[in-house]
Amino acid sequence: MVRISPAPVSPPRDKPLATELLPSPQAADDAPAASKSMTAMEHKNEGNAHVAHKHYEQAAASYQCALDAFYPSQPAPSLEIAIRSNLALVYNKLSKFECAEHECEVALRLCNDTEKKDVVAKLYFRKSSSLEERGLYELAIHDLEQCREILSKGGKGNKGGKGTNMKRTVEVALRRLTELVSTRRGKEDKDEEAAMAAAEAA
């Protein structure tokens, strides 16, 4: 069972993300659910091909089309999770870090106890990357710790290959972020001491 503990709350956004405001103009057709899933899979595969060639804008468009293809029917959760995870990847590549975080959050809400551990771990890792880029180091550390805990309980992380590499990457990222937080707190303490000394001297 994958236990997901509540994460600290990110700072509120001033306005909705673009991905929250994108009803599809093609969304109202009456095609059967199986056909929609097939179309979504085709768009997903197209997006994967764009990622392989580092065409991230095109990949983002393909993944968004894959999500639009579900509307208004309910997709298979595992497919939507995979698409949103991939969309988070390309948003991070495009420096659209709030959008990446949003996609991970939505995907994590869709995950249940039967979801593959490495899938959930990857979502936490990608979310932590977007948080780190925004300077939210404590929140990023929380998600990396979630990722490490999940990988330590099973999944591909214990079977060698990419999963083992991911565990190493998580540990490296945790050390780096812990040092950054320590350095930032040390600077804040020095600034506070200097301000207090200046106030006393005034």
Side-chain angles (χ1 to χ4, degrees):
M1 175 180 292
V2 179
R3 237 177 353 184
I4 301 175
S5 64
V9 178
S10 298
R13 302 185 180 94
D14 295 330
K15 58 185 180 179
L17 296 174
T19 51
E20 298 172 18
L21 303 173
L22 274 173
S24 170
Q26 306 167 337
D29 62 71
D30 297 322
S35 174
K36 289 179 181 292
S37 294
M38 185 180 301
T39 302
M41 181 62 76
E42 288 172 353
H43 284 303
K44 175 179 177 288
N45 291 339
E46 181 182 62
N48 292 349
H50 286 312
V51 169
H53 291 92
K54 299 184 179 180
H55 300 158
Y56 299 122
E57 290 281 2
Q58 296 93 321
S62 293
Y63 293 139
Q64 188 60 57
C65 285
L67 294 175
D68 290 344
F70 290 134
Y71 186 89
S73 64
Q74 182 65 35
S78 58
L79 180 55
E80 183 175 357
I81 289 166
I83 293 168
R84 290 190 182 277
S85 180
N86 291 357
L87 192 51
L89 169 68
V90 297
Y91 278 150
N92 275 334
K93 295 289 187 182
L94 294 167
S95 299
K96 297 180 179 179
F97 303 118
E98 281 196 57
C99 292
E101 180 190 355
H102 169 75
E103 295 302 334
C104 290
E105 287 174 347
V106 173
L108 284 166
R109 287 197 293 270
L110 291 170
C111 292
N112 55 39
D113 293 341
T114 64
E115 201 62 46
K116 293 180 180 177
K117 293 180 174 66
D118 51 289
V119 171
V120 182
K122 189 181 295 183
L123 285 166
Y124 273 116
F125 183 78
R126 289 176 177 171
K127 183 165 171 262
S128 76
S129 297
S130 64
L131 291 166
E132 178 182 355
E133 292 291 346
R134 293 169 59 204
L136 303 173
Y137 300 144
E138 289 89 349
L139 294 173
I141 287 172
H142 174 276
D143 284 346
L144 284 172
E145 287 173 342
Q146 290 287 96
C147 179
R148 179 174 62 181
E149 180 181 356
I150 292 165
L151 290 173
S152 70
K153 292 180 179 178
K156 292 180 181 178
N158 286 341
K159 296 181 181 178
K162 292 182 180 179
T164 300
N165 291 338
M166 186 177 181
K167 289 179 72 175
R168 293 197 195 101
T169 302
V170 169
E171 293 297 338
V172 170
L174 273 169
R175 286 196 296 271
R176 182 182 68 253
L177 284 172
T178 301
E179 289 173 4
L180 284 171
V181 169
S182 178
T183 300
R184 185 162 67 180
R185 286 176 179 169
K187 184 179 182 303
E188 288 171 352
D189 289 343
K190 287 181 180 179
D191 290 346
E192 185 177 348
E193 288 172 5
M196 290 176 64
E200 290 173 359

